[in-house]
Amino acid sequence: MQATYDNIADMAKPLPKDMSHHFSDATKARIPSKTKEFYKFFQIPGIGQLAGGLPNAHLFPFDTLEAQIAQPNRWTPSSNRPGADDEVLSSKMTPISISGSTTASHVVVPHDAPTSDVMRKIDLASALQYGQADGYPPLRSFIRQFARDCLHPNVPYRGGPEVIFTVGSTDGMSKALEVFTNIWIEGKNDIRDRPGMVTEIFMYSNVLSQAQPRGVQVVPIEMDEEGMAPHGPGSLEDVLANWDDSKGKRPHFMYTVTMGHNPTSGVLSLERRKEIYSVCSKYDVVIVEDDPYWYLQYPSAEVEEAKARNLPIPEPKPANTLEKKSGYPFLDSLAPSFLAVDVDGRVVRLDTFSKTVAPGCRMGWVTASPEICERILRVSESGTQQPSGFAQVVIAETIMGPQSEASAAFAGRSAKDKTTFAGWKMDGWVRWLAGLRGVYERRMVRMCKILEENAYQLKQSTPMRDADSDWGVITKTKLYDFQWPRGGMFLWLHMRFETHPLWKAAGSKGNVIDGTILSTALMIFLTHKPYLVLVSPGLMFSATPQIREERGWAYYRICFAAETEENIDSCSLRFAEGVQRFWRIKNVKEIESLLGEAGSEQAEEDMTGLVNMGSWMGC
Amino acid sequence: MQATYDNIADMAKPLPKDMSHHFSDATKARIPSKTKEFYKFFQIPGIGQLAGGLPNAHLFPFDTLEAQIAQPNRWTPSSNRPGADDEVLSSKMTPISISGSTTASHVVVPHDAPTSDVMRKIDLASALQYGQADGYPPLRSFIRQFARDCLHPNVPYRGGPEVIFTVGSTDGMSKALEVFTNIWIEGKNDIRDRPGMVTEIFMYSNVLSQAQPRGVQVVPIEMDEEGMAPHGPGSLEDVLANWDDSKGKRPHFMYTVTMGHNPTSGVLSLERRKEIYSVCSKYDVVIVEDDPYWYLQYPSAEVEEAKARNLPIPEPKPANTLEKKSGYPFLDSLAPSFLAVDVDGRVVRLDTFSKTVAPGCRMGWVTASPEICERILRVSESGTQQPSGFAQVVIAETIMGPQSEASAAFAGRSAKDKTTFAGWKMDGWVRWLAGLRGVYERRMVRMCKILEENAYQLKQSTPMRDADSDWGVITKTKLYDFQWPRGGMFLWLHMRFETHPLWKAAGSKGNVIDGTILSTALMIFLTHKPYLVLVSPGLMFSATPQIREERGWAYYRICFAAETEENIDSCSLRFAEGVQRFWRIKNVKEIESLLGEAGSEQAEEDMTGLVNMGSWMGC
């Protein structure tokens, strides 16, 4: 019944629009695969396979692949609606039906699973063989269902989105750039052909090193604590409406992080998404939405921030008011993707296993219209092919478990192996994500509290010269301010260098001690004992050199995810103490000596080198 | 002493030449990474890590990764010099010092290995974290040593080659194309700017779908049973010397498979390599050498072929007469890479774990001059990043074993885990490769024998009309001929369709039954019971439509690697019987009905679709 209703409802939706005019020349030149027409020959039962160049699976050196894996309930979740009813565990999520130990299960991927159904076959013979570029069939089918039914049940175009695997979101973005932008070379190509990419003024810098060699012009859009600004000065609409063609093609491509923005930590509301989408529709812009931190949304941030600042506690309001629910209160409590408002089929969403499982998976997926996914598939076939079978099969086995009664017996070599472990399933997967959110949310709160308490420097000023008495006044200097992160892994600190005693002082070479100098000096100062912490300067996250010069120096990004649990408090304190001490530096020479440690006199220029560090820092 | 001698010898070598003029515009535009300048901050002992965006390794859901792995001596090797002394097991290779079962060992990758030395640290906390785009340090260091000391000890330029990991050789080729060729669009760019790629007339077709969207002109070079022809009509020198600039830029890029050529199965001799290299030097061509089958060279092929044909048995001659040896007779018996003669630093070699371990690794490496590797590293950083940590760490643990005494105790949960397994080491790795060669070589010989015995059709012809008696003559029709493969996974059969009774017969629509029609019809005929085998038509491996039309139809590629051991003989027999039966077809309608099964009347056009199947067929 539901299916019938859904089908009728689906038929009433518009088809996604043709987006092929956005494709790059090379993408247009790719020939559609005729694989399907010949696939039938491969499917003939019992056919002797002399055609393909597959090595024999019997000769792989692995007889099993095994792992001790966490139970999905290893970590305690946090509340979906702090202050309201606690919806942490939904009826759908309890009880977690994992047998055996509460800490870990042993999973075994056998060499050969006793089923011929490729959607249920999870074994080394299939996973370690050449495979399909869109993903390992059982795992892709799980992720496709998860994406369509749980993450994005409200996609407004007919048939809904497709899913294709990538080797991580950096690869996803690289493919999106290849599909949607031509390479443009200065001095060789017409400036009016130069492709443009709109993005937030502060951004994940690795994307810059992806765009730059293609000659893509990065066009920064103003943002607030929530994310990109749709209207107003410097906003998306402002930039597109007043585009000057003599500086390049009007951008038709947006890169955006919308859930736990990197580096600014905002989460884009549904209302804001509608406004931005409407501008993109008007100016025909493709939206590439990159959200590795989507499940790390922190409803407690607003509440705890208000408490810490003695402000009125805000009413909890739902982030997702869309009609269709996933059935998982945790997922339904999160801000939805741009896909939820994607009437035209212009949204390309990048997801990754890097933060939900581990970066070493090198595995992620794109969710987009079938037309766009097909183009990405063609790119994958002639480049990365599929993600690693090792990663795909271990994660498939972890989530899906042995796919038949026979499997356990088959794989079973010992009592331990004969566990009745049945995989996390969708419930376990969601529960795992909710647990991770809990861990990171608690870390975030602890770090914010410590930084909140140390944001001011209290100083007794010297008595006024013309006063009789020797009493001074207590001055309160603000060292930094910040919004408690609404999502993600980072605090974005606005450093108030203009309150530093040496602000705009004269340097020893007649130069002025400016924000960039103070930012770099403090970063280095903090790496000294006893502070001994490394932070990322905002210079690294500035979309353009101009933003870097004008505003990038005023920020630090601080990550609460990487350090060990027990170090969070001490690192936060050491940071705060280092900042306090830095504000007591009164000698320009001390600042200049810190800069010397950067390995060059031109500290600022060196700092721009940091932009290239993004890929291996995973930031 | 040796080291000093080596250093002096190395200093006497020329530096590799500057190859930057070969780089594409986008590659030239890539900014060198300044990571190293700032890496020192990350290395400060005890530094609180608030800078990067790494998730906490404690939160990965895997506590161990484990596997049952084969012993390196699982498969019996074949002889390095058939007919001569048996050098199968060298002094270096015996005894294989693997304790425990002779069939399998259990390896355990712990979550945290108790060492801080990144070259020896093999654990999940490091392998599943963000990593370096050039490869997981312990495994990369193993492969680098293997490549430099064992595979290519004779590289003639100073300092020797570098190594960088890829996510497989398709990715390696994709990156080579990106580094060395500009995208060229018909009707938009000047024809004289069109990049060209020289390659053998028959080739691994997936490369065509990589070159085509970039507008790269594929320029076929004549070949013989050994490989590419350096001189003579249609040869490399002929094509380059007589290049017509009005048809595109003279190719500066070569794609070649030189050891077990796909599809033609030749192995390029050292002498031939020198000749080709000299032409490449003269015309400044970069050589991309893609050799997934390098360790599958079959010295017995020549001998067994001669025996089967009652020809004189040739004297065994060494394939590698270069000065420096690896110390492994197996490796030293193989034809060397173009790197062995690469004075200029113009060779980019692609290797892969797909055939030595499993295609599902999605892992390989490039060996080339440091300058070229640096450019590929830049491309990797903004695309694929590193190969999957799952694959890297399992293979590192398999080959290298626990890296300290403490490791085994640390990882040890059970008696089984406390095995003293110490990893295959270099000896084990070479032994494993020699074993695989043995398996495939024996399969090759079995298949060739069967096909050799069935290469003719014997027929009693009808008595001559003007003769008195009723005796006929026995005619012997050659159905196919072939060279026994000198390497790789394939037989390349020259099908003698011109001897078919319907050759050039009139079709029902007045068309002529030509080679393409017969090739397609036989391919389909063979998928019918009782033959039930699938072969790859040569149409699929033709470098250009012209080669396909003129000659591609005359070949089939037959793989002896994919089928199970017990099916090799029966598949070979079924193929041979199917061909015999096909040559008895005398009715054009029967041919035409077979073509109908291709799903279209235009069988030839459909066949070209097969070209795109390469990526997932792994051929």
Side-chain angles (χ1 to χ4, degrees), chain A residues 77 81 116 155 172 226 233 321 343 374 406 408 413 422-423 426 468 477 519 540 592:
Chain A
R81 296 178 63 204
S116 56
V155 178
E226 188 177 329
T321 51
V343 184
E374 191 272 343
R413 251 163 268 265
M426 198 80 84
D468 290 339
T477 306
S519 165
M540 280 179 66
E592 286 171 340

Side-chain angles (χ1 to χ4, degrees), chain A residues 265-276:
Chain A
S265 86
V267 173
L268 214 61
S269 68
L270 181 55
E271 291 64 40
R272 179 72 69 87
R273 278 170 209 273
K274 287 179 182 163
E275 291 178 275
I276 291 174

Side-chain angles (χ1 to χ4, degrees), chain A residues 260-577:
Chain A
H261 185 269
N262 182 359
T264 70
S265 86
V267 173
L268 214 61
S269 68
L270 181 55
E271 291 64 40
R272 179 72 69 87
R273 278 170 209 273
K274 287 179 182 163
E275 291 178 275
I276 291 174
Y277 190 87
S278 147
V279 177
C280 289
S281 261
K282 184 172 170 190
Y283 293 95
D284 197 15
V285 174
V286 169
I287 300 172
V288 177
E289 177 188 70
D290 177 19
D291 279 320
Y293 314 110
W294 63 272
Y295 63 102
L296 300 179
Q297 300 184 22
Y298 307 131
S300 70
E302 208 181 19
V303 176
E304 297 295 326
E305 181 185 84
K307 278 190 203 164
R309 294 173 185 174
N310 290 317
L311 298 170
I313 311 285
E315 274 297 299
K317 49 182 188 296
N320 185 339
T321 51
L322 293 162
E323 192 191 348
K324 268 188 156 183
K325 303 296 178 193
S326 73
Y328 292 105
F330 170 63
L331 299 180
D332 293 332
S333 75
L334 304 173
S337 154
F338 267 118
L339 283 166
V341 297
D342 186 19
V343 184
D344 306 335
R346 61 176 68 252
V347 174
V348 180
R349 183 176 166 84
L350 309 181
D351 277 282
T352 176
F353 285 94
S354 287
K355 270 74 181 188
T356 56
V357 176
C361 295
R362 302 320 308 140
M363 197 157 94
W365 70 92
V366 170
T367 315
S369 74
E371 181 197 22
I372 292 172
C373 283
E374 191 272 343
R375 291 288 90 181
I376 293 175
L377 178 63
R378 294 288 89 78
V379 175
S380 299
E381 280 174 350
S382 64
T384 58
Q385 300 194 343
Q386 55 172 349
S388 163
F390 287 86
Q392 293 196 105
V393 82
V394 171
I395 292 169
E397 191 79 37
T398 298
I399 296 179
M400 305 170 77
Q403 289 295 289
S404 75
E405 282 305 309
S407 285
F410 177 85
R413 251 163 268 265
S414 69
K416 191 175 76 174
D417 295 352
K418 277 180 189 144
T419 171
T420 53
F421 173 74
W424 286 4
K425 302 287 182 285
M426 198 80 84
D427 290 6
W429 177 241
V430 175
R431 175 63 183 79
W432 174 255
L433 300 175
L436 289 182
R437 197 266 298 262
V439 172
Y440 285 118
E441 188 162 16
R442 287 185 292 275
R443 285 167 163 248
M444 177 275 291
V445 170
R446 279 161 55 196
M447 187 176 275
C448 285
K449 277 186 179 161
I450 291 168
L451 296 193
E452 191 80 43
E453 286 161 10
N454 291 278
Y456 290 91
Q457 187 160 76
L458 304 181
K459 241 191 318 199
Q460 186 170 353
S461 65
T462 49
M464 281 178 284
R465 232 165 36 107
D466 57 351
D468 290 339
S469 63
D470 61 352
W471 55 263
V473 284
I474 302 289
T475 55
K476 204 175 162 188
T477 306
K478 193 155 209 177
L479 308 181
Y480 50 79
D481 47 47
F482 64 102
Q483 176 184 250
W484 287 42
R486 301 314 195 237
M489 293 187 165
F490 310 108
L491 260 75
W492 184 239
L493 295 181
H494 180 201
M495 304 302 297
R496 305 292 294 269
F497 289 116
E498 73 279 9
T499 71
H500 192 280
L502 291 176
W503 175 253
K504 301 291 183 195
S508 61
K509 290 173 187 165
N511 57 320
V512 172
I513 303 297
D514 63 8
T516 299
I517 288 176
L518 287 172
S519 165
T520 307
L522 174 54
M523 188 213 91
I524 292 165
F525 182 75
L526 288 167
T527 66
H528 291 187
K529 282 185 184 170
Y531 316 115
L532 209 62
V533 290
L534 189 63
V535 300
S536 288
L539 300 163
M540 280 179 66
F541 308 100
S542 305
T544 63
Q546 195 190 340
I547 302 285
R548 189 157 61 225
E549 242 168 75
E550 291 175 3
R551 293 188 268 177
W553 53 266
Y555 295 89
Y556 280 165
R557 192 196 72 175
I558 308 224
C559 177
F560 51 85
E563 261 304 330
T564 58
E565 199 64 32
E566 56 276 18
N567 284 353
I568 289 294
D569 291 0
S570 71
C571 283
S572 309
L573 266 173
R574 270 144 53 198
F575 171 81
E577 285 162 9

Side-chain angles (χ1 to χ4, degrees), chain B residues 386-501:
Chain B
Q386 54 172 351
S388 164
F390 287 86
Q392 295 196 104
V393 82
V394 170
I395 292 168
E397 191 79 38
T398 298
I399 296 180
M400 306 173 75
Q403 288 295 291
S404 75
E405 284 303 310
S407 285
F410 178 85
R413 251 163 269 266
S414 69
K416 189 174 76 173
D417 295 352
K418 277 180 191 147
T419 170
T420 53
F421 173 75
W424 287 4
K425 302 287 182 288
M426 199 80 84
D427 289 6
W429 178 240
V430 175
R431 175 64 183 79
W432 174 253
L433 300 174
L436 289 182
R437 196 265 298 263
V439 173
Y440 285 119
E441 188 162 17
R442 287 185 290 274
R443 285 166 164 246
M444 178 276 291
V445 169
R446 281 161 56 195
M447 187 178 274
C448 285
K449 278 185 178 159
I450 291 169
L451 295 193
E452 191 78 43
E453 286 160 10
N454 291 277
Y456 291 90
Q457 188 159 76
L458 304 181
K459 241 190 321 199
Q460 184 168 355
S461 63
T462 49
M464 283 179 284
R465 236 166 32 108
D466 56 355
D468 289 341
S469 65
D470 60 353
W471 53 265
V473 284
I474 302 289
T475 57
K476 203 175 163 189
T477 306
K478 192 155 209 177
L479 307 180
Y480 49 78
D481 48 49
F482 64 104
Q483 175 184 251
W484 287 42
R486 301 313 193 236
M489 293 187 164
F490 310 108
L491 262 74
W492 183 239
L493 296 180
H494 180 200
M495 304 301 299
R496 306 290 296 268
F497 289 117
E498 72 277 11
T499 70
H500 193 280

Side-chain angles (χ1 to χ4, degrees), chain B residues 596-615:
Chain B
E597 293 178 38
S600 159
E601 288 190 2
Q602 290 159 287
E604 187 186 350
E605 192 189 296
D606 275 5
M607 273 298 140
T608 67
L610 282 170
V611 168
N612 294 323
M613 294 180 73
S615 73

Side-chain angles (χ1 to χ4, degrees), chain B residues 225-240:
Chain B
E225 290 174 332
E226 186 176 330
M228 190 181 283
H231 307 295
S235 71
L236 184 63
E237 173 149 62
D238 188 20
V239 165
L240 295 176

